[in-house]
Amino acid sequence: MDGVIALFKERGMTSHDCISKLRKILHTKKVGHTGTLDPNVDGVLPICIGQATKISDLMMRSGKVYRGAITLGIAYDTEDLDGKVINQQPIERPFTASQIDHALSKLTGNIQQIPPMYSAVKVNGHKLYEYARKGLSVERHPREIHITYFKQIKPTIFDNERRTQTIYFEVACSKGTYVRTLAVDFGKLLGVPAVMSDLTRIKSGGFDLSQCVTLAQVNTAVENDTLDEVLRPLSEALRHYPVYSLDETRWKIVSNGGFLDESINKEQQPIVRLDYQGIVKALYQFDQKVGQYRPFKMFLLN
């Protein structure tokens, strides 16, 4: 039982809840996620099972895509709707599509972002949300993130009674990006308070919503002995890496953790997937110092 389940995490559940439930459903402790999702966010949460837990860090590095909504005219301490209102400023005149697009464009490329107080980032051995819950604020250092694109996906809605304006967006971003904070920073560019009012992750770890299954579907698959229909093999999870098929001689070298010469990939790409008899056996990484490929991730599946 080795592979990746592209799980659809439902709202109201933590990522840890999903791990705990899957361990019980699959009767295994070797289960790990590829990046947490807040309880009020749903969407793609790839789950690594068995030998695939060795690549969870690689999957976490991959870019993510979200769709959601930002409401202008109101701000919350948590930067989403789970917290308390800390600021309100009526939107007297709706922002135009061009004004919105201009502000969104300023939040693309490599930018600096300060992690929110309500986050799991650790400062002096404690998570930021632990300070926040005590009413404390601590110094946070900005981090560089990359936003591939940040765009509107449908017309805004202006609430004339509440004097708020909601925009609908899609964003492709790097690991470590807080979309909640992007929403707040977007509001700052327009000079108004803002809150992330809705969010769904539509792509992560190379998987998208169309490939996702629910916990109930995984449970049914186990009961019907059809787990292979929902458990994606390592070869699919690692499909983006160049592949080299090992012969008998090189398989013996790899099975003993030996190095391979650069002929397995003449372009000297950083990481190469090694298959033997159609089964993923390892990932090898190019070592510039010795000019050879060395073991990076070993699976050695039967």
Side-chain angles (χ1 to χ4, degrees), residues 9 19 36 59 138 143 153 162 176 183 210 237 267 276 294:
K9 189 194 83 66
I19 295 295
T36 59
M59 297 186 72
V138 298
R143 298 177 169 190
I153 54 175
R162 296 183 179 180
S210 68
E267 291 79 21
Y276 177 64
R294 63 190 306 163

Side-chain angles (χ1 to χ4, degrees), residues 114-155:
I114 297 176
M117 280 302 302
Y118 281 91
S119 68
V121 173
K122 285 190 175 182
V123 174
N124 297 325
H126 297 280
K127 294 177 180 178
L128 285 174
Y129 67 73
E130 294 174 338
Y131 292 107
R133 288 172 180 171
K134 296 177 181 179
L136 302 174
S137 181
V138 298
E139 183 180 1
R140 293 156 285 157
H141 298 292
R143 298 177 169 190
E144 184 172 89
I145 58 171
H146 182 78
I147 307 299
T148 306
Y149 65 81
F150 196 8
K151 64 183 182 181
Q152 293 189 80
I153 54 175
K154 63 180 181 180

Side-chain angles (χ1 to χ4, degrees), residues 60-102:
M60 287 177 70
R61 294 180 200 171
S62 69
K64 298 171 175 60
V65 182
Y66 297 85
R67 281 183 186 156
I70 301 171
T71 299
L72 304 174
I74 190 168
Y76 287 67
D77 57 358
T78 56
E79 302 184 347
D80 59 20
L81 299 180
D82 283 350
K84 298 177 181 178
V85 176
I86 57 173
N87 190 15
Q88 286 182 278
Q89 180 183 326
I91 306 297
E92 300 298 343
R93 187 176 181 180
F95 293 97
T96 65
S98 60
Q99 286 176 311
I100 292 168
D101 288 339
H102 182 66

Side-chain angles (χ1 to χ4, degrees), residues 232-249:
R232 309 276 177 167
L234 269 172
S235 58
E236 183 173 349
L238 298 173
R239 64 189 180 279
H240 302 299
Y241 292 100
V243 180
Y244 180 81
S245 295
L246 299 163
D247 56 22
E248 189 69 30
T249 300

